[in-house]
Amino acid sequence: MDIDSAKAYLEKNEKKLFAGGKSGARVYDIDGECVLKQIYRAELGNDELYEAYRKEAWWYADGGAGLGCLPEVLGLRSTEEEISILMKRYQMLSRREINKELLEKIMRGLATVHVSEIPPLLMQKRHAAQPLSEEQIRASVEGWRAVLDEHPGVFDSALLERIAEGINRIISWHDSEEIVLSHGDFHWDNLLMDNEGRIIICDWQGVEAGAASGDLSFFFGRLRGDGIPLKEQELVEAYGREIRRLSGKRVTWEEIDGHIRAANVITSFTCWHEYLHGSGEERVKEIYEKMVADSNSIW
């Protein structure tokens, strides 16, 4: 099947839209065998986001050649106004089936990404991390205060000021981590499985020359936010064993833990308050208290 055949299928049959595509992409089931991902610049109304999707199309066509964890692409069309990506359909992972074996398999999949060669184009676009402006810091503090105020008397919001004072030092230190090929949006909903039980990683709009701890921290943080407990040290050690097998490099929990904590503080401080409005006390407590504890452990 090619893209034109997939579009013809959608015209003749009921359109089955997957739950994904929250960033403006339409992702359709094609006869239970394929998925068609469509993005239109005019519908997005966001040129920066559209260019991220164009980067994903480039990645599938050229940048990620030889990376075994990519979905099989059956057809691809990328223009200034429209992107269509036809891919083989895979099994979605269920949070109800999370277990140690599956999580370690995911860590092995991530390790294969991190040891892969970084394309020159991504290295050229790599820039040193920029400190947050005073305005950005204040916005994050106020965003968190609004979340904490939804639970009167439960949280000590004064701790936010200590994080705000040190956030740029954390950003600067974290940027010293070794650069690897990074997925950039590594979380549960971007993971699939093929018929042989191999992990397939999709949604590569954020692929970059970045830090291993960024992918690891984001993956752990999203699952913690869903209320799923993790033994992070065991998972990082499994990740480290695979890194050593594939590249000979040694990655220990002690070496990467500080950067995982730094990445968590940065992501939590700048982003998580946007998603926690209306959340229950326990969920807010888990994210907030870990952010505070991680920031304290870095200083």
Side-chain angles (χ1 to χ4, degrees), residues 93-104 106 188 219 222-224 226-231 235:
L93 301 183
S94 169
R95 286 171 173 76
R96 294 191 299 272
E97 298 173 0
I98 290 179
N99 56 47
K100 180 181 178 180
E101 180 181 2
L102 177 57
L103 287 169
E104 290 188 351
I106 291 168
W188 187 266
F219 180 75
R222 285 285 294 263
L223 287 181
R224 282 197 307 271
D226 290 337
I228 298 172
L230 297 171
K231 295 182 179 179
L235 293 177

Side-chain angles (χ1 to χ4, degrees), residues 146-260:
V147 170
L148 301 184
D149 286 347
E150 294 176 6
H151 306 279
V154 175
F155 299 101
D156 182 1
S157 61
L159 298 173
L160 288 168
E161 293 301 329
R162 177 172 168 79
I163 296 174
E165 290 173 3
I167 190 65
N168 280 332
R169 294 198 302 275
I170 293 174
I171 290 172
S172 177
W173 174 77
H174 180 50
D175 197 47
S176 68
E177 186 179 358
E178 179 185 1
I179 301 303
V180 300
L181 177 65
S182 170
H183 179 272
D185 191 24
F186 192 75
H187 62 82
W188 187 266
D189 294 329
N190 285 339
L191 300 174
L192 306 165
M193 185 177 291
D194 68 11
N195 291 334
E196 286 72 46
R198 293 177 300 185
I199 295 297
I200 301 295
I201 306 173
C202 64
D203 284 6
W204 289 83
Q205 302 97 284
V207 63
E208 62 180 353
S213 63
D215 281 340
L216 288 163
S217 174
F218 193 58
F219 180 75
F220 296 155
R222 285 285 294 263
L223 287 181
R224 282 197 307 271
D226 290 337
I228 298 172
L230 297 171
K231 295 182 179 179
E232 295 182 15
Q233 181 171 345
E234 289 184 6
L235 293 177
V236 171
E237 288 173 350
Y239 164 86
R241 288 193 296 271
E242 190 66 10
I243 291 288
R244 187 174 185 185
R245 184 185 73 82
L246 293 169
S247 69
K249 295 181 180 180
R250 294 183 63 89
V251 177
T252 67
W253 167 251
E254 291 74 19
E255 291 170 349
I256 204 167
D257 179 44
H259 282 291
I260 290 178

Side-chain angles (χ1 to χ4, degrees), residues 21-26 37-54 56 80-83 205:
K22 296 178 182 178
S23 294
R26 302 178 184 179
K37 185 173 185 174
Q38 294 182 302
I39 306 98
Y40 298 93
R41 185 189 291 272
E43 290 185 356
L44 283 182
N46 183 322
D47 288 345
E48 184 177 350
L49 181 56
Y50 189 79
E51 290 306 313
Y53 279 118
R54 292 201 74 184
E56 179 184 35
E80 292 292 334
E81 301 299 330
E82 175 187 348
I83 300 167
Q205 302 97 284

Side-chain angles (χ1 to χ4, degrees), residues 65-89:
L67 193 58
C69 59
L70 296 184
E72 182 180 350
V73 176
L74 306 174
L76 191 151
R77 187 177 297 159
S78 177
T79 71
E80 292 292 334
E81 301 299 330
E82 175 187 348
I83 300 167
S84 294
I85 307 173
L86 182 66
M87 295 173 281
K88 181 178 177 180
R89 181 173 176 176

